[in-house]
Amino acid sequence: MFKLFLISSFLGALSNLIQAPWNFFFLIFLIFPILHLILDIKIKDQSYHQRFISILLILGGFLYFYFLFGFSWIISAFEFRPELSPFKLITLFGLPLLILILACPSFIIPVIFWDTKINKIISLASCISIGEFLRGNIFTGFSWNNFSHSLAVNENLMQIFSVTGQYLATFFLILFSQFLLFFWKDRGYFKALILISILPIIFFYGSIRIKDNEFIDNNLIGVVQPNVLQKDKIENPDEYKILRNLIDLSNNAEASFLIWPESSVPILLQYNPEVIELIVDNLPKDSEILIGNITFQAGKFNNSALLIDQDKKIRDIYHKVHLVPFGEYMPFQGFLSKLPFIKIITGDIGFDRGNEIKSINTKVGNARIAICYEIIFPEEINPNNEKLDLIINITNDAWFGNSSGPFQHFNSSRFRAIEQGVPVFRSANTGISAIIDPYGRIIDKIGLGKKGSIFSPLPKKTVETYYSKVGDFLFFGVLILTLLIMIFLKKKKKYG
């Protein structure tokens, strides 16, 4: 058992290479067939109770080390909070364990249905995809590095998200990745052909879906990336130097709408109208600007985005709704705030969450503002089915340096564009900033650790996507159908 645990754990760690920034997609043809065979060696003749324990160790080891190496970039933030250094290792090793606990109820699927070869293949795919759904939605959720995100390796493959979303895409991907098993003992070439066809069908769908961009008008939207290092913001912030840098980068006389990143101005703009006046006076004539800024009201702070017009007024505000636990707020505050070592982590004051997810009507269209990691939750992008023209993602990934985190965060923006069929304008403090079309293609971008600004007219959105209409209900429908298939095949094997 220990050898199998080591092998599966190694496969889990290796699986991170299928994600950005490495994108070694071909590894899925090695990883999941081997994982399947390891499970089969151990559990095929075991009782349900024994199976669950074996799956907990083998598949649990696989996922734990996938999460451990995949989320390790998070501890980069501790470099800027030296008082929290004792909790660095707790976070590094504890977060993957917590995420695994959220996902492990899905292990019941292979426990019950590990019998016929096709049931084994379906149950592994169901288990992985259900686990992703659970960890993305239970409590605060953390929908990061889903296996389907590896489809970002190719623009045509990514288009399946417009129909399936990320969870069902993972199900199909894990199914497809196991086709080699039908060439191993009890060969079934026709079944192998069915599984092999999944990826070409996805690719073909993407190739016919993607169209050339059309632009609404000639009004330019500008995305600014100031590249202010986090240590400079914390240690010796020169507010007006930061502000002047942002203004200089926004200097395009033809720009109609400008976007500055999350917490870009280290001044409370709502209480400093003279700063707003300085900003507007130096912007292109008749332009609007969206600025990531901290706001304060009723004794509470919010992580917000402020829409400011040429009248030097804050015309609208969006307050971040989905906050980062322990980073922006303390979960279960009534209980945890009594624990001294937890109180050290968050301090006495965190952010207050916004009351609702809502769009903001800008001069270039109706926009959904997603602050930081709000962009990783597809079901929260447009829960009210509003008619969106664009998504704006403002973020500050400077906390995570030159790690894999900013690359993976960026890819989430591309997937949300495809799911909703609208362009995404992404402004990140240190990168990666980009203008993304409704097909997830990059019109222009600013790389990680660079300073600059990019401009583009608003790309025309696509027809309403299937995913934007039904969300993950198709995923649940496919799961129910596959469950019925597995029950039928299980009974057929038992009773002949």
Side-chain angles (χ1 to χ4, degrees):
M1 171 68 86
F2 184 65
K3 289 182 179 179
L4 298 180
F5 170 78
L6 288 178
I7 295 171
S8 65
S9 299
F10 172 75
L11 291 174
L14 185 67
S15 296
N16 283 284
L17 295 181
I18 71 175
Q19 303 288 2
W22 306 282
N23 297 312
F24 294 149
F25 182 73
F26 66 91
L27 286 175
I28 65 167
F29 305 112
L30 172 70
I31 292 167
F32 286 103
I34 294 177
L35 179 62
H36 178 116
L37 292 174
I38 290 173
L39 284 168
D40 196 48
I41 289 170
K42 189 63 183 176
I43 73 174
K44 62 180 178 181
D45 296 320
Q46 289 184 325
S47 65
Y48 288 158
H49 174 72
Q50 291 172 325
R51 276 186 186 177
F52 184 78
I53 294 174
S54 297
I55 291 173
L56 192 61
L57 291 172
I58 296 172
L59 189 54
F62 172 83
L63 290 175
Y64 179 82
F65 281 90
Y66 178 64
F67 299 148
L68 175 65
F69 287 91
F71 303 155
S72 61
W73 50 268
I74 291 175
I75 64 171
S76 300
F78 285 87
E79 296 177 14
F80 308 104
R81 299 285 297 276
E83 72 276 13
L84 302 183
S85 58
F87 302 97
K88 187 174 183 178
L89 293 180
I90 295 175
T91 302
L92 176 63
F93 295 104
L95 178 62
L97 180 61
L98 176 61
I99 300 298
L100 175 60
I101 291 171
L102 297 180
C104 70
S106 65
F107 293 177
I108 194 66
I109 302 295
V111 167
I112 297 173
F113 294 105
W114 202 270
D115 41 46
T116 66
K117 179 172 282 191
I118 189 64
N119 265 7
K120 295 172 184 177
I121 289 173
I122 294 175
S123 65
L124 181 58
S126 300
C127 173
I128 297 291
S129 56
I130 292 172
E132 289 188 346
F133 177 82
L134 293 175
R135 70 177 174 93
N137 290 274
I138 295 178
F139 299 124
T140 186
F142 193 52
S143 190
W144 194 282
N145 265 17
N146 291 350
F147 285 104
S148 57
H149 293 178
S150 63
L151 294 173
V153 71
N154 181 271
E155 292 172 349
N156 287 347
L157 295 178
M158 294 177 71
Q159 303 309 309
I160 194 63
F161 275 61
S162 67
V163 177
T164 64
Q166 59 186 5
Y167 305 118
L168 185 53
T170 288
F171 175 78
F172 286 137
L173 181 63
I174 305 303
L175 274 184
F176 163 73
S177 69
Q178 300 176 80
F179 77 89
L180 286 173
L181 295 169
F182 282 113
F183 296 94
W184 177 271
K185 299 181 180 179
D186 302 326
R187 297 172 183 173
Y189 298 124
F190 179 70
K191 294 174 183 176
L193 181 62
I194 292 175
L195 294 186
I196 291 173
S197 68
I198 292 175
L199 203 65
I201 289 173
I202 291 175
F203 184 88
F204 178 72
Y205 166 75
S207 67
I208 61 174
R209 179 177 188 266
I210 292 179
K211 304 288 191 300
D212 291 335
N213 278 316
E214 298 179 26
F215 295 95
I216 300 297
D217 50 39
N218 293 323
N219 290 324
L220 290 183
I221 302 174
V223 171
V224 173
Q225 180 170 305
N227 195 37
V228 179
L229 300 180
Q230 197 63 26
K231 66 176 182 179
D232 294 337
K233 275 190 172 184
I234 295 174
E235 295 175 359
N236 294 298
D238 185 335
E239 291 88 353
Y240 282 91
K241 180 180 178 182
I242 292 173
L243 190 59
R244 175 51 58 187
N245 180 40
L246 286 161
I247 290 172
D248 289 344
L249 292 170
S250 306
N251 188 18
N252 185 323
E254 297 181 2
S256 298
F257 188 74
L258 293 156
I259 304 166
W260 290 2
E262 177 189 17
S263 304
S264 52
V265 179
I267 301 169
L268 295 181
L269 293 177
Q270 65 184 138
Y271 298 114
N272 290 276
E274 73 281 1
V275 179
I276 293 178
E277 184 174 352
L278 174 65
I279 293 171
V280 174
D281 285 344
N282 285 275
L283 293 183
K285 185 180 179 181
D286 298 326
S287 65
E288 281 184 341
I289 185 168
L290 186 82
I291 301 177
N293 194 231
I294 306 302
T295 56
F296 182 76
Q297 55 187 359
K300 296 179 180 179
F301 289 94
N302 289 92
N303 190 353
S304 309
L306 280 56
L307 181 65
I308 299 172
D309 60 20
Q310 277 291 315
D311 293 328
K312 303 171 185 176
K313 303 293 184 183
I314 299 175
R315 189 160 66 80
D316 209 341
I317 301 178
Y318 170 74
H319 300 303
K320 185 178 181 182
V321 173
H322 202 138
L323 302 177
V324 180
F326 297 106
E328 293 180 315
Y329 82 104
M330 185 190 298
F332 312 112
Q333 186 170 6
F335 170 71
L336 293 180
S337 61
K338 298 176 183 179
L339 304 177
F341 72 96
I342 294 292
K343 192 171 183 178
I344 291 173
I345 296 177
T346 57
D348 292 320
I349 301 177
F351 287 121
D352 192 40
R353 70 187 297 272
N355 293 325
E356 61 177 336
I357 295 173
K358 65 170 187 174
S359 61
I360 286 181
N361 190 26
T362 74
K363 71 177 300 180
V364 294
N366 197 35
R368 162 67 163 109
I369 315 300
I371 300 178
C372 191
Y373 96 144
E374 285 186 316
I375 199 70
I376 75 173
F377 301 101
E379 62 279 354
E380 296 180 7
I381 293 299
N382 192 15
N384 303 318
N385 294 318
E386 298 180 80
K387 300 295 183 182
L388 299 179
D389 297 301
L390 71 160
I391 298 170
I392 299 173
N393 179 212
I394 58 173
T395 187
N396 177 22
D397 289 349
W399 294 97
F400 310 114
N402 193 26
S403 65
S404 60
F407 294 92
Q408 294 157 4
H409 197 189
F410 168 65
N411 274 348
S412 292
S413 299
R414 300 178 66 196
F415 287 121
R416 300 298 87 82
I418 296 167
E419 289 164 351
Q420 297 297 325
V422 300
V424 173
F425 288 76
R426 187 175 199 267
S427 177
N429 177 29
T430 56
I432 302 168
S433 298
I435 299 169
I436 302 165
D437 77 4
Y439 304 102
R441 295 176 300 187
I442 301 166
I443 294 176
D444 203 353
K445 76 173 183 176
I446 309 169
L448 189 63
K450 297 180 179 180
K451 181 171 75 171
S453 52
I454 48 180
F455 298 86
S456 171
L458 179 67
K460 184 178 180 181
K461 60 186 178 182
T462 69
V463 296
E464 192 175 11
T465 67
Y466 189 77
Y467 182 81
S468 69
K469 289 187 284 188
V470 305
D472 289 313
F473 284 107
L474 181 61
F475 171 58
F476 300 134
V478 170
L479 286 181
I480 292 171
L481 178 61
T482 55
L483 178 62
L484 294 174
I485 292 172
M486 287 190 291
I487 292 172
F488 171 76
L489 292 175
K490 187 176 181 68
K491 287 187 175 181
K492 182 179 179 181
K493 180 183 179 183
K494 183 176 181 180
Y495 299 110

